[in-house]
Every structure is written in structure tokens, then in C-alpha cells.
Amino acid sequence: MTGKPSRTSSEGQGASLALRRIWRAPAVQALLLQCLAFPLTLLIVFLLARSGAILSYADVALVQGIVACAMTRLRGLAVWWLGIQLVFPLALTGALSLVFELNLPPLLFLGVFLFLLALYWSTFRTQVPYYPSGKWVWNEVDKLLPKGKPLLVIDIGSGLGGFTMEMARRRPESHFVGIELAPLPWLLSFLRARLSASRARFVRGDYDNLDLSNYDAVFAYLSPAPMSALWNKASKEMRPGSILLSYEFLITEKTPDIILMPTGRGAPLYGWHF
């Protein structure tokens, strides 16, 4: 007789799925690769010392970074992780040197860590760091949005809220919403809107939980990593007549209908009509 899956089995499957999601996060993989590189670093340092080489702590940190870079390359992580893996042991060594040489209080580093954690809360999972946009792209988006009718527009990864608040000021007949997962940028944008009596609205959450069919336009300034997932979601949910706009980062699955380049230096704005 076949019965329903037990609660214990379901919880076990849920925990297993959560662990797989954590392992797939590049930041977690990079940290584990640093740990795996350490024994090999010790072996290399031992062999160098046996050969007569005199190594400083910075030299050892450099060896650790090189080994971690090699392992990261073999793992196939994105190329920018190579620089992070190389610099991380050197930065850690430098921070420890400051603690001992300048007698800095450990609470200072705890405070910096908590600040960065609040600012980049979701970066390890979403791979989307904080990127502020500028007035050029705001002007171009304003030109592309339809005139003469109220719109509902979502800014994915709204950061400190500059784009969303500026668009709400320019288009008082429309509704502009910013969604941000990191707690500190969301809180600052929420307070900015309240203190300035802006009509912009900011919510904290993951855009993956949104129904994009509710919006006339979607604006995103993310990173290369989530663009395929964004396109998969948008192609399933966005309704005919709506538009998806991405600043700087291209969706490779579909040729953009719009490519706008700034005069001089700057990143392009891409657009897709539905």
C-alpha cells in the first residue's frame, strides 16, 4: 500500500534542496576552494622553506591566493572570481597586521562586517552587487516609456532608490515601485521616499516572487549572472505591449529590440518589447 510521504521525508528533501542551492552559490564555492587550497599551500611553503627560501606572511598569502586561483579556474567559476581569490588572502593578512600594529579594536572590524553584510546581504546568492545607475539612463528610460497614460513600473534591484524616485517625480500619473533584497539599501530608499514625500514605493524582497504580468515596464540593473533567469521569467510572464529594460548587462537568449549607447564613456541600455 502506497502512503503519503512522511513529514520527516519531506523535511529531509527540503533540507537537501536547500544545501544544494547553497553549494551552487559561487561565493560559497569560492570560500570552500580557499579552504581546500590551504593544505596545498602548506606543502608548497614547506618545500620552498626546505630549499632555503625565506618567506614572509605576505609571501605565504600570495601562494595561497595563487593556489586558490588555480583551483577556481579548474572549477570553472566566472573569471572575476580569480581576482577575488588572489586578493582575499592578502587582504586578510593586511587586516590582521593592522589589528596588531595599530592596536585597532576588534569591534571596529565587527562593525565594518555588519555594515557590509547589510549592504550586500544577498550578493552571495544573487551575484548582484550594488550598482548605482546615473542620469543618462534615467533620461533614456523616460523617453522610452509610453506617454499619456498611467503606467506601473518595477525597478528590480532598486538600491538606494535614485532611479525610482526620479521617475516618480517626472511621471506623477504613473506608479513606480522599487524592489531590493539587501536590507540596508532598502531601508535607506524607503526612508528617502518617506522624508521627501515621494510617490515612489519600495518593497524588500526577491523579484523572483513577483508576477511580472502586473507591470507595464520592468527596469533592471543587475549583473551578468542572473540575466538568463530574468529572461526566462520575463518571457513567461510579461504581457503583450510591455517592455523589459536592462542597463549595461545583455540578455544573450534574445537579440534586443533597443540598444542605446551614451555619448562618450558609459554602458548601453538594452530593451525588449513583448
Side-chain angles (χ1 to χ4, degrees), residues 42-53:
L42 290 179
L43 177 60
I44 294 173
V45 170
F46 173 75
L47 294 175
L48 289 173
R50 285 287 299 270
S51 66

Side-chain angles (χ1 to χ4, degrees), residues 135-252:
K135 287 190 176 181
W136 175 83
V137 71
W138 301 351
N139 294 335
E140 296 304 319
V141 172
D142 190 21
K143 295 175 187 176
L144 291 171
L145 293 179
K147 305 290 195 300
K149 65 175 183 178
L151 303 171
L152 180 57
V153 182
I154 184 75
D155 176 13
I156 295 176
S158 52
L160 299 181
F163 167 83
T164 310
M165 292 178 63
E166 177 64 16
M167 290 296 105
R169 184 188 66 81
R170 297 186 186 189
R171 299 289 193 96
E173 79 285 355
S174 297
H175 298 279
F176 289 84
V177 182
I179 185 167
E180 175 59 53
L181 191 55
L184 183 59
W186 166 79
L187 178 60
L188 292 176
S189 60
F190 176 82
L191 293 175
R192 287 180 66 193
R194 284 295 184 92
L195 293 174
S196 63
S198 172
R199 297 179 67 253
R201 185 166 66 91
F202 294 96
V203 296
R204 181 172 177 264
D206 190 338
Y207 81 89
D208 199 43
N209 297 324
L210 295 175
D211 183 355
L212 298 184
S213 65
N214 294 326
Y215 302 94
D216 301 289
V218 174
F219 174 76
Y221 187 22
L222 300 174
S223 80
M227 298 311 295
S228 292
L230 174 61
W231 173 252
N232 290 336
K233 182 176 177 63
S235 60
K236 293 175 183 176
E237 298 179 4
M238 292 187 70
R239 61 175 183 261
S242 60
I243 185 172
L244 170 64
L245 299 169
S246 174
Y247 182 45
E248 185 170 350
F249 302 111
L250 181 64
I251 291 170
T252 57

Side-chain angles (χ1 to χ4, degrees), residues 9-19:
S9 176
S10 299
E11 290 176 349
Q13 291 176 358
S16 177
L17 180 60
L19 287 174

Side-chain angles (χ1 to χ4, degrees), residues 41-93:
T41 298
L42 290 179
L43 177 60
I44 294 173
V45 170
F46 173 75
L47 294 175
L48 289 173
R50 285 287 299 270
S51 66
I54 300 175
L55 301 176
S56 65
Y57 288 119
D59 296 328
V60 175
L62 181 59
V63 173
Q64 168 73 15
I66 293 172
V67 173
C69 274
M71 297 179 71
T72 301
R73 182 65 175 174
L74 290 173
R75 176 61 187 168
L77 296 186
V79 67
W80 59 80
W81 281 107
L82 299 179
I84 295 173
Q85 294 288 67
L86 178 64
V87 171
F88 178 75
L90 294 168
L92 184 60
T93 303

